């Protein structure tokens, strides 16, 4: 487990102070993928650099598996960092070294034998899907391939924690998805704890188990990805959720094509986890004498399951419609009547 307690970072100049991270506290479970999201200037990149002390905290503590990172001497920290891998937005590769040589670099620094280095490098090349590129230089690689080298290099010393600082923001959407899939695979295969910093909510949605939302150096909202996505509380969180879910439900309900439905009832169905896998609409149409028309919907998947909303028009006798609504509610799908005739 990673415990971060009252962590702060203040940058001082001759005339002012900038509080980049403000008394931030978090607990991250071993083996999870934990996302931290915030807009530019929220302090998230400073925060992740405080974890391995690439930035020295002004105050507070960081503990990883019972060891106080903020209390280590420089020599002890240098050894400990072998257990904390890190990948960066702009790859930070050594351009004069080949793929294999880039991956080998941290092993050389650690004093690993040449034979062990060759074996480990090949393992990592295979793991990140770069077989055949061992002798290529960074200038000969695509952005996604460069990031795969960065990931392999970060894993060279078999770390227990992997820090990802905007690791996909320089990549196109398709390449981003492939890198995210690789991180999920690494998390499952190696049991690695991953802390991922991003400003893109779809990255959080795709791979994270839990998320913390940062604003002005503080955590303003946190929880499981499913809970935060389905019930965002803070305005900044709602804006991030809109990135992947579109406009808020109250705006959708006011759309003319919904507000002017002349016949029947308009229902909002809120799906969470397993309920999204049920063929609920077809079941209702078969079981009850009602016509059900889908007006609008948005269902997304997370590591915990799927969630989203579906707006439907239901037409039929009032008694039958109410029976159909009660049937839906028994499945634990939340039902809200938006309009009715």
């Amino acid at each position: 487990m990673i415990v971060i307690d009252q962590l702060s970072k203040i940058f001082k100049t001759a005339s002012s102070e900038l509080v980049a991270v403000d008394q931030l506290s978090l607990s991250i479970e071993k083996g999870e993928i934990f996302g931290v999201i915030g807009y530019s200037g929220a302090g998230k990149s400073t925060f992740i650099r405080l974890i391995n002390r690439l930035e020295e905290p002004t105050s507070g503590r960081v503990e990883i598996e019972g060891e106080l990172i903020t209390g280590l001497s420089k020599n002890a920290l240098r050894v400990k960092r072998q257990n904390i891998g890190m990948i960066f937005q702009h790859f930070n590769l050594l351009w004069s070294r080949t793929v294999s040589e880039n991956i080998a670099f941290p092993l050389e620094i650690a004093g690993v034998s040449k034979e062990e280095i060759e074996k480990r490098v090949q393992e990592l090349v295979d793991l990140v899907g770069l077989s055949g590129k061992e002798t290529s230089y960074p200038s000969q690689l695509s952005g996604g391939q460069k990031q795969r080298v960065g990931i392999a290099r970060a894993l060279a010393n078999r770390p227990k924690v992997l820090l990802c600082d905007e690791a996909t923001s320089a990549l196109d959407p398709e390449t981003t998805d492939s890198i995210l899939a690789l991180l999920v695979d690494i998390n499952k295969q190696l049991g690695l704890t991953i802390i991922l910093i991003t400003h893109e909510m779809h990255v959080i949605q795709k791979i994270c188990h839990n998320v913390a939302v940062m604003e002005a150096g503080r955590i303003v909202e946190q929880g499981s990805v499913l809970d935060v996505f389905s019930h965002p509380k803070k305005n900044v969180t709602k804006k991030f959720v809109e990135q992947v879910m579109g406009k808020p439900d109250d705006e959708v309900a006011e759309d003319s094509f919904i507000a002017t439905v002349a016949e029947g009832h308009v229902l909002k169905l809120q799906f969470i986890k397993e309920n999204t896998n049920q063929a609920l609409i077809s079941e209702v149409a078969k079981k009850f004498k009602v016509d059900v028309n889908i007006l609008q919907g948005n269902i997304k998947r997370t590591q915990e399951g799927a969630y989203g909303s579906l707006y439907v028009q239901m037409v039929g006798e009032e008694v039958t419609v109410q029976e159909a609504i009660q049937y839906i509610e028994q499945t634990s799908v939340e039902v809200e009547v938006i309009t009715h005739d």
Side-chain angles (χ1 to χ4, degrees), residues 37-44 198-199 214-215 235-236 239-240 243:
I37 189 167
Y39 289 111
S40 179
K44 56 190 186 298
T198 184
H199 64 275
M214 279 192 75
E215 187 176 33
N235 286 335
V236 63
K239 289 180 181 178
F240 278 124
Q243 290 182 4

Side-chain angles (χ1 to χ4, degrees), residues 76-95:
L77 177 62
R78 192 176 298 113
V79 174
K80 185 63 179 179
R81 279 183 180 150
Q82 294 180 12
N83 291 326
I84 308 172
M86 189 166 187
I87 57 177
F88 305 87
Q89 177 181 357
H90 297 296
F91 321 125
N92 287 14
L93 301 181
L94 299 169
W95 296 91

Side-chain angles (χ1 to χ4, degrees), residues 14 22 44 54 70 81 115 121 137 167 179 205 210 218 220 228 246 248 269 312 339:
D22 189 4
K44 56 190 186 298
L54 287 178
T70 43
R81 279 183 180 150
E115 182 179 303
V121 166
Y137 287 89
I179 294 298
Q205 171 226 325
N210 290 286
R218 289 178 171 269
V220 296
V228 171
L269 309 181
V312 301
T339 66

Side-chain angles (χ1 to χ4, degrees), residues 171-303:
L171 306 175
D172 62 75
E174 184 176 352
T175 305
T176 291
D177 286 346
S178 70
I179 294 298
L180 294 178
L182 175 60
L183 290 175
V184 170
D185 188 48
I186 289 169
N187 169 256
K188 290 178 179 178
Q189 283 193 50
L190 306 181
L192 198 64
T193 303
I194 299 177
I195 304 176
L196 188 148
I197 299 295
T198 184
H199 64 275
E200 300 169 300
M201 199 59 160
H202 74 275
V203 171
I204 300 291
Q205 171 226 325
K206 283 180 178 292
I207 73 168
C208 294
H209 302 108
N210 290 286
V211 61
V213 182
M214 279 192 75
E215 187 176 33
R218 289 178 171 269
I219 299 295
V220 296
E221 191 165 352
Q222 64 177 299
S224 74
V225 170
L226 199 58
D227 287 342
V228 171
F229 266 62
S230 56
H231 299 99
K233 296 178 178 64
K234 300 294 185 179
N235 286 335
V236 63
T237 311
K238 292 175 181 178
K239 289 180 181 178
F240 278 124
V241 171
E242 284 180 43
Q243 290 182 4
V244 291
M245 294 303 292
K247 55 190 173 180
D249 288 333
D250 55 354
E251 292 183 27
V252 172
E254 293 172 0
D255 278 355
S256 59
F257 83 96
I258 288 180
T260 61
V261 171
E263 187 180 9
H265 295 64
V266 174
L267 309 176
K268 173 192 167 186
L269 309 181
Q270 184 80 19
F271 294 82
I272 298 177
K273 291 188 178 180
E274 68 279 4
N275 297 315
T276 53
N277 297 323
Q278 299 176 8
L280 186 61
I281 302 303
S282 60
E283 286 180 15
V284 169
K286 290 175 183 177
K287 193 173 184 67
F288 301 93
K289 290 185 178 181
V290 293
D291 293 324
V292 184
N293 301 311
I294 297 175
L295 301 174
Q296 181 167 319
N298 197 352
I299 304 293
K300 297 292 183 180
R301 294 203 165 273
T302 73
Q303 287 294 305

Side-chain angles (χ1 to χ4, degrees), residues 25-225:
S25 296
L26 278 177
S27 292
I28 299 170
E29 294 296 327
K30 183 177 180 180
E32 76 168 302
I33 304 178
F34 192 98
V36 179
I37 189 167
Y39 289 111
S40 179
K44 56 190 186 298
S45 289
T46 301
F47 161 64
I48 201 169
R49 291 170 65 87
L50 290 171
I51 294 176
N52 62 358
R53 285 176 57 189
L54 287 178
E55 291 283 356
E56 286 292 340
T58 303
S59 61
R61 54 196 289 274
V62 177
E63 184 180 297
I64 299 179
E65 294 192 332
E67 188 165 16
L68 189 62
I69 302 300
T70 43
L72 295 176
S73 67
K74 288 186 177 180
N75 287 336
L77 177 62
R78 192 176 298 113
V79 174
K80 185 63 179 179
R81 279 183 180 150
Q82 294 180 12
N83 291 326
I84 308 172
M86 189 166 187
I87 57 177
F88 305 87
Q89 177 181 357
H90 297 296
F91 321 125
N92 287 14
L93 301 181
L94 299 169
W95 296 91
S96 62
R97 283 178 166 247
T98 65
V99 167
S100 290
E101 290 168 345
N102 264 284
I103 298 170
F105 186 62
L107 296 170
E108 293 170 3
I109 293 175
V112 178
S113 69
K114 184 177 180 181
E115 182 179 303
E116 283 298 312
I117 288 176
E118 290 178 356
K119 180 181 177 181
R120 181 61 177 156
V121 166
Q122 193 57 55
E123 288 175 356
L124 291 165
V125 165
D126 294 340
L127 177 67
V128 301
L130 286 175
S131 298
K133 296 289 184 180
E134 291 89 342
T135 59
S136 297
Y137 287 89
S139 61
Q140 299 170 306
L141 303 176
S142 67
Q145 289 170 333
K146 291 173 188 173
Q147 195 56 286
R148 288 172 183 268
V149 177
I151 293 170
R153 182 184 60 186
L155 297 176
N157 281 311
R158 306 181 191 276
K160 297 177 181 179
V161 177
L162 180 63
L163 308 178
C164 306
D165 187 7
E166 296 279 11
T168 60
S169 61
L171 306 175
D172 62 75
E174 184 176 352
T175 305
T176 291
D177 286 346
S178 70
I179 294 298
L180 294 178
L182 175 60
L183 290 175
V184 170
D185 188 48
I186 289 169
N187 169 256
K188 290 178 179 178
Q189 283 193 50
L190 306 181
L192 198 64
T193 303
I194 299 177
I195 304 176
L196 188 148
I197 299 295
T198 184
H199 64 275
E200 300 169 300
M201 199 59 160
H202 74 275
V203 171
I204 300 291
Q205 171 226 325
K206 283 180 178 292
I207 73 168
C208 294
H209 302 108
N210 290 286
V211 61
V213 182
M214 279 192 75
E215 187 176 33
R218 289 178 171 269
I219 299 295
V220 296
E221 191 165 352
Q222 64 177 299
S224 74
V225 170

